[in-house]
């Protein structure tokens, strides 16, 4: 076991050292990697170590358990043996006593053994369980045993046995736990020492081997994978780090590295294989030697056991013979006349023969001196006979009568008493036999039993020995000298032992007698041992010799044990080692395959990298080519365009001009295409970065609308925009790109829509469409309803034509559902058209650059097909998605999302408010009524009006509108309806009602012209004549041309509702300008708005005119005038005014003198060509109220005038 | 006529200011545009003459005076929407500010060229208008 442990230990060490080498290699790889990787590695190692440790621990504990068990057993047996010498006799006496008294030779060996062990356990109570009672018990037992020996009387047996059994029982009952402990220990020791032990060793070593192999496999694979991973990462890093120029060198080095590592792996594999072969050899050697050792041990154990048994039995018999000798001395010599005669002796010996199972017979010979021979012969009536000189003859026929009388000698030892079995030797002189004589002499000198060398016994013809005891006729002191003993000798008691039968009997009692061959030798003469028992020797390899002590110091006996058969081939180690070898070989094969695979993968990887590099280079080359070529084309194109421009400036006739213009337009188209290509290349190169600017998404829509409105009008397509009211006013993002995407989509839609239908752009928040069930937005709801209704010819679309299902267009958006952050806003823009649609088979490649739905498309519609691709790129940049749904002949709907951040409403509104706020504030509290059959269109109109701050009602028919109208007429001013917007579709259908309205209106005019709501017609495209016709009917105030957007609306309203006329009508205005043309223009403009204009051409004239009192309401002053510029004039005017004002307040002059005005301040507006901040401030400084840019801009003029007059009044 | 107008617009000779001018013309002032344009021509010719005279003075060029004249011309040009004349004026003024005599000459030449071109075209325009007015007997309706 310990050897095994060492082997496995070395195995563990080996694998760990292997691991170390791995680790070392690993650390090389790891050195470059990040800490996380290191951590991973570390964790992996920890795991590995823990796993190995646990496995190791399990096995070591298993081993140690066995070891401890074994050692415990050994210890116990040792202790047993130590005390055995002392107690052996008693023990055997006890055993034989038991078996003898019960008249049963205990056949059950195990039971006897158990008893033996138990009793030895009892006798050898371990010191830790110190129990005085035990000691007493022991003493008692010894005493009892001695007593038995000394008093071998039949009657006493029962008593002693009873007496013995009593303390035994008590002891058992008292110390049963202790006993059971011992029992357990012994049993387990025995059990483990048995064949099971062998099996366990094999099993555990097998299991262990398998485990190690498994761990090895796992580790190897893990590490291989890890190595590869690390290496690839490293390579990747390296590749990333270095520019393409160094690629080759690095690859080369990579190649070298991988090759080196491959070689290294192969070396490792060879080492591993060698180790496996060596290991399996070691295992075989170890296991077979283990088996051989165990065989030797087994033989030794069995042999010793047999020898001991034989010896014990022999000794027991000898004791009985001794006892018989004492009996004879007591009753034959001690009593006078003798109490024993041949009859009694024969009977007694016959009946007590069971006590000497090994003796074939006993006989008593009396010591007769030569002087007493005659007397003796007379007394017994027979002559002392001589033993046969030749033993063979004696053996042949042993009739005492045939024997010759003994020759004359010093003394004789005639047998007087003999057991029945050997009664034929009565009267034979024992001294005449050479062996017997020696025996007798030694016996009487030593006082102990002596043995003859083996000889053929009389009659039985068996090999046997004769045991002789001397019988003394008087008490002898224990330290009597041999002479004294010889003197006191009265006779001799001899017992013949039949050795073969003895040994046979013994062996029959023992288990596994078949497996071993036993030979017993008398080795008193070492050079020529005499075989006492056993057949001829067949050499089967192993031999064990145990010494036998039959109590005669002069004689030496040995027992030779051999196995009957030669050891079989050790199949188990062969199997195991072959298995280990096979496993190693298989593993080697696997690793070899893995290494090859790794090499192959590395090779492939390298190839891939090369290909990737080449592909990337090709891509870069493509982009560069595109950029270069585009640029190269653009440069000459500029020349072409410029020259064309100049050509057109020259005098050309009509057809020439036409050609030139066509060429120019084509050139411009070409430039735009090139720009698109460049743009695409730029995006692909990732050079495009998004701005983060605050902007109004609604304004973007307006811009797109204004951009395309003309084109849409030309084609007769209705173009509309709509933004949900949940879309914030300001978001932060890239307005240019946002607009570009929308413009691309709208341009596309317009391109593919012919003469009918609409293009509809709408913005919603992405979260609005998350849940279709609670949608408040009108447009979305209509879209949803469209989805439900199977026939889509219903009128719920903008223009009444069926459209694609807009809900489907964003169905596939993944981020739509995910986005739920408060900071970011996801806008969903939908562009819906009623165009030709995209063929189903072309829908998959619609976003691929330069790919149009059909190659004929570009011929029909022009364009590069790059717009959608650019849009997709931009949408991706914005973190959004783009999708579409399209049905041929019905139309397409494109949707995209974009992520923006919420913007501060204030950040952008300065400009915005400056531009629109005056109007918005005026619209704020107005109410409007929109009459439209189509809900979406109405919603769009409402959206635009609401942006102006108006509150809007929507009605589907004029009928309802009429009620509203009449209500309005009657109701109070506060709830007044400011305007009614009627769609042209409704208009055509409901003339009669309109007529009624007309009448009502005419009535209304009489009552209150101003407060009657103004009626507008919403129309898409109307010719002039139609327009005039409608206007002349007198029903409507004006016609609003669609598409509507904020600035258009404002313009309309400013023109039609809140004209400058309202402000300027009947105002007297002085225009001061030295430039006649400017003067004339300004006069014309102002007069157009109903002002009464007076013009002067210089500052002095102006001063004259403006000297209070005067009746001008305002003055427009040019700043740059000869002689006296505008600033100076203003200053002087203000000076004059101040004087007058002071006079009035000071009471020096009455207000009446100055036209009943208590405070003079004429609004002066500067007219300037350059509206800069500095001139603006200068204007303010010298007392001007405001300024207008010189070519009058209506908006600005309006605002300035509004401010001035509001301030003035 | 529309074509001529759009052509002029395309060339950048005129800008939207001219359209505004046209819009100002209505029943109350039927010949407003032509009146203004006539005044413009009158003034401009005077100014151009001035400028040429100033440039011709060999020594001591009065750039400041030229600047004032140019301002006048520029203002009136922009008022009627003569875009290209205005642009040339801007260039001219830059030249005077830099006291660049050669530049001034070149600019003056260009200005005169542009001016003549504008004058021709506008005359053409008015002629067509008059012809049409005569032919139709009605006034050309205001666009939009």
């Amino acid at each position: 076991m310990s050897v095994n442990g060492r082997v496995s230990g070395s195995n563990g060490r080996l694998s760990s050292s292997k691991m170390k080498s791995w680790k070392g290699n690993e650390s090389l790889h790891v050195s470059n990697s990040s800490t996380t990787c290191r951590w991973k590695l570390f964790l992996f190692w920890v795991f590995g170590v823990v796993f190995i440790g646990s496995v190791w621990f399990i096995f070591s504990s298993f081993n140690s358990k066995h070891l401890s068990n074994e050692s415990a057993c050994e210890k116990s047996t040792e202790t047993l043996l130590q005390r055995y010498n002392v107690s052996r006799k008693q023990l055997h006496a006890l055993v034989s006593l038991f078996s003898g008294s019960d008249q049963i030779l205990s056949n059950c060996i195990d039971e006897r053994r158990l008893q033996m062990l138990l009793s030895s356990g009892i006798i050898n109570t371990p010191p830790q369980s110190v129990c005085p009672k035990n000691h007493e018990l022991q003493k008692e037992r010894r005493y009892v045993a001695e007593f038995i020996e000394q008093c071998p009387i039949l009657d006493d047996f029962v008593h002693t046995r009873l007496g013995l059994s009593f303390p035994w029982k008590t002891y058992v009952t008292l110390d049963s736990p202790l006993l059971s402990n011992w029992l357990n220990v012994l049993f387990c020791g025995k059990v483990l020492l048995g064949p099971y032990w062998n099996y366990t060793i094999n099993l555990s070593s097998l299991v262990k081997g398998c485990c190690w192999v498994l761990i090895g496999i796992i580790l190897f694979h893990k590490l291989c994978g890890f190595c590869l991973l690390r290496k690839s990462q490293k390579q990747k890093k390296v590749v990333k780090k270095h520019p393409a120029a160094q690629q080759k060198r690095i690859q080369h080095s990579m190649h070298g590295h991988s090759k080196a590592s491959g070689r290294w792996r192969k070396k490792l594999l060879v080492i591993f294989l060698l180790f496996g072969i060596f290991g399996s050899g070691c295992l075989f050697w170890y296991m077979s030697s283990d088996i051989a050792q165990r065989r030797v041990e087994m033989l030794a154990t069995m042999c010793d056991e047999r020898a001991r048994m034989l010896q014990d039995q022999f000794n027991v018999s000898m004791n009985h013979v001794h006892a018989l000798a004492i009996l004879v001395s007591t009753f034959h010599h001690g009593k006078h006349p003798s109490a024993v005669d041949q009859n009694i002796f024969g009977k007694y010996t016959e009946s007590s023969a069971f006590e000497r199972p090994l003796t074939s017979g006993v006989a008593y010979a009396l010591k007769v001196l030569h002087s007493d021979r005659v007397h003796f012969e007379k007394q017994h009536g027979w002559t002392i006979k001589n033993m046969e000189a030749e033993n063979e003859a004696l053996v042949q026929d042993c009739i005492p009568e045939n024997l010759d009388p003994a020759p004359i000698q010093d003394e004789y030892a005639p047998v007087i008493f003999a057991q029945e079995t050997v009664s034929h030797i009565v009267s034979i002189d024992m001294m005449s036999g050479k062996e017997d004589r020696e025996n007798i002499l030694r016996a009487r000198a030593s006082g102990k039993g002596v043995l003859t060398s083996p000889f053929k016994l009389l009659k039985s013809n068996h090999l046997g020995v004769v045991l002789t005891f001397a019988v003394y006729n008087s008490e002898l002191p224990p330290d009597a000298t041999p002479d004294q003993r010889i003197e006191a000798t009265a006779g001799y008691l001899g017992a013949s032992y039949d050795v073969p039968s003895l040994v046979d009997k013994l062996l029959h009692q023992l288990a596994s007698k078949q497996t071993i061959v036993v030979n017993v030798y008398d080795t008193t003469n070492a050079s020529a041992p005499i075989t006492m028992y056993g057949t001829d020797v067949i050499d089967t390899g192993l031999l064990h010799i145990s010494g036998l002590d039959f109590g005669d110091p002069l004689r030496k006996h040995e027992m030779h044990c051999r196995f009957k058969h030669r050891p079989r081939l050790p199949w188990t180690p062969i199997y195991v080692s072959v298995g280990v070898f096979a496993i190693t070989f298989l593993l080697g094969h696997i690793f070899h395959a893995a290494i090859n695979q790794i090499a192959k993968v590395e090779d492939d990887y390298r190839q891939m990298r090369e290909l990737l590099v080449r592909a990337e280079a090709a891509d870069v080359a493509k982009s560069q080519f595109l950029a270069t070529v585009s640029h190269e084309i653009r440069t000459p194109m500029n020349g072409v365009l410029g020259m064309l421009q100049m050509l057109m400036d020259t005098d050309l006739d009509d057809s020439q001009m036409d050609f030139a213009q066509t060429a120019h337009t084509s050139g411009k188209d070409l430039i735009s295409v090139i720009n698109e290509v460049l743009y695409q290349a730029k995006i692909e190169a990732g050079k495009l970065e998004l701005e983060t600017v605050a902007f109004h998404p609604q304004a973007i829509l307006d811009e797109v609308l204004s951009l395309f409105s003309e084109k849409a009008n030309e084609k007769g397509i209705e173009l509309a925009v709509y933004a949900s009211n949940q879309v914030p006013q300001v978001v932060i993002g890239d307005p240019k790109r946002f607009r570009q995407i929308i413009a691309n989509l709208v341009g596309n839609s317009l391109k593919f829509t012919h003469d009918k239908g609409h293009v509809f752009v709408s913005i919603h928040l992405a979260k609005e469409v998350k849940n279709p069930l609670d949608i408040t937005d009108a447009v979305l709801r209509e879209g949803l309803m469209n989805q439900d209704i199977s026939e889509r010819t219903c009128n719920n679309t903008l223009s009444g034509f069926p459209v694609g299902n807009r809900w489907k267009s964003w169905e596939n958006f993944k981020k739509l559902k995910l986005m739920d952050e408060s900071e970011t806003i996801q806008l969903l823009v939908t562009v819906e058209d009623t165009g030709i649609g995209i063929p189903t088979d072309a829908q998959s490649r619609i976003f691929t650059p330069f790919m149009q739905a059909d190659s004929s498309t570009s011929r029909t519609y022009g364009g590069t097909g790059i717009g959608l691709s650019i849009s997709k790129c931009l949408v991706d940049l914005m973190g959004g998605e783009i999708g579409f749904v399209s049905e041929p002949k019905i139309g397409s709907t494109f949707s995209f999302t974009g992520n923006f951040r919420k913007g501060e409403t204030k950040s952008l509104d300065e400009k915005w408010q400056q531009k629109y706020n005056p109007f918005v504030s005026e619209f704020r509290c107005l109410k409007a009524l929109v009459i439209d059959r189509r809900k979406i269109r109405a919603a769009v109109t409402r959206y635009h009006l609401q942006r102006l701050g108006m509150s809007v009602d929507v009605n589907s028919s004029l009928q309802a509108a009429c009620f509203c109208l009449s209500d309005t007429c009657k109701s109070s001013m506060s709830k007044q309806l400011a305007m009614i917007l009627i769609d042209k579709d409704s208009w055509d259908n409901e003339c009669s009602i309109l007529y009624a309205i007309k009448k009502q209106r005419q009535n209304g005019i009489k009552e209150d012209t101003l407060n009657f709501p103004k009626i507008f017609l919403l129309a898409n495209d109307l010719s002039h004549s139609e327009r005039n016709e409608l206007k002349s009917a007198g029903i409507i105030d004006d016609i609003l041309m669609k598409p509507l957007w904020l600035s258009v609306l404002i313009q309309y309203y400013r023109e039609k509702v809140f004209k400058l006329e309202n402000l300027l009508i009947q105002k007297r205005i002085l225009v001061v300008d030295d430039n006649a043309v400017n003067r004339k223009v300004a006069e014309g403009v102002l007069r157009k708005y109903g002002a009464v204009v007076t013009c002067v051409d210089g500052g002095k004239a102006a001063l004259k005119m403006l000297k209070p009192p005067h009746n001008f309401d305002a003055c427009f002053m040019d700043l740059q005038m000869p002689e006296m510029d505008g600033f100076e004039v203003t200053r002087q005017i203000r000076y004059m005014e101040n004087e007058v004002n002071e006079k009035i307040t000071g009471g020096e002059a009455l207000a009446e003198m100055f036209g009943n005005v208590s405070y003079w301040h004429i609004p002066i507006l500067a007219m300037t060509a350059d509206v800069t901040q500095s001139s603006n401030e200068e204007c303010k400084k010298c007392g001007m109220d405001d300024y207008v840019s010189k070519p009058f801009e209506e908006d600005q003029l309006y605002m300035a005038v509004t401010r001035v007059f509001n301030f003035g009044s | 006529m529309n074509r001529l107008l759009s052509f002029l617009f395309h060339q950048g000779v005129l800008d939207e200011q001219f359209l505004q001018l046209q819009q100002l013309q209505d029943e109350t002032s039927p010949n407003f545009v032509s009146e203004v344009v006539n005044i413009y021509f009158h003034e401009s010719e005077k100014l151009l003459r001035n400028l040429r005279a100033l440039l011709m003075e060999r020594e001591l060029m009065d750039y400041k005076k030229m600047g004032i004249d140019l301002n006048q011309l520029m203002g009136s040009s922009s008022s009627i929407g003569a875009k290209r004349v205005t642009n040339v004026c801007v260039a001219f003024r830059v030249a005077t500010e830099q006291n660049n005599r050669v530049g001034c000459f070149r600019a003056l030449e260009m200005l005169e060229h542009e001016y003549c071109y504008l004058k021709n075209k506008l005359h053409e325009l008015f002629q067509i208008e008059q012809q049409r007015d005569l032919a139709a007997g009605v006034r050309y309706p205001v666009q939009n």
Side-chain angles (χ1 to χ4, degrees), chain A residues 645 648-649 654 657 661 664 1024 1027 1074-1078 1080-1081 1084-1085 1088 1120 1122 1190-1192, chain B residues 3 7 10-11 17 20-21 23-24 32 35-36 39-40 43 71-72 75-76 78-80 84 117 144:
Chain A
Q645 184 81 44
M648 282 193 289
D649 289 352
D654 282 357
M657 183 59 90
Q661 274 179 352
H664 193 250
H1024 280 290
R1027 215 180 280 193
D1074 63 319
N1075 191 325
V1077 179
N1078 288 358
K1080 189 78 187 166
V1081 171
V1085 170
K1088 192 181 156 204
Q1120 288 166 326
K1190 194 157 323 144
F1192 286 152
Chain B
R3 183 157 167 210
F7 173 66
H10 186 81
Q11 281 190 326
Q17 193 64 33
Q20 283 200 7
L21 211 63
Q23 281 173 27
L24 293 177
F32 181 75
E35 272 175 37
V36 171
I39 295 167
Y40 169 72
E43 292 268 321
N71 259 348
Q72 288 266 354
S76 49
S78 64
S79 285
I80 66 154
R84 267 161 59 165
Y117 186 73
N144 196 16

Side-chain angles (χ1 to χ4, degrees), chain A residues 92 110 199 205 208 238 314 740 901 951 1002 1104 1177:
Chain A
H92 280 278
D110 283 345
Y199 175 70
S205 62
K208 204 186 288 180
V238 166
F314 193 86
Q740 194 179 2
R901 280 190 291 122
S951 57
Q1002 276 166 351
K1104 266 181 212 161
E1177 277 170 11

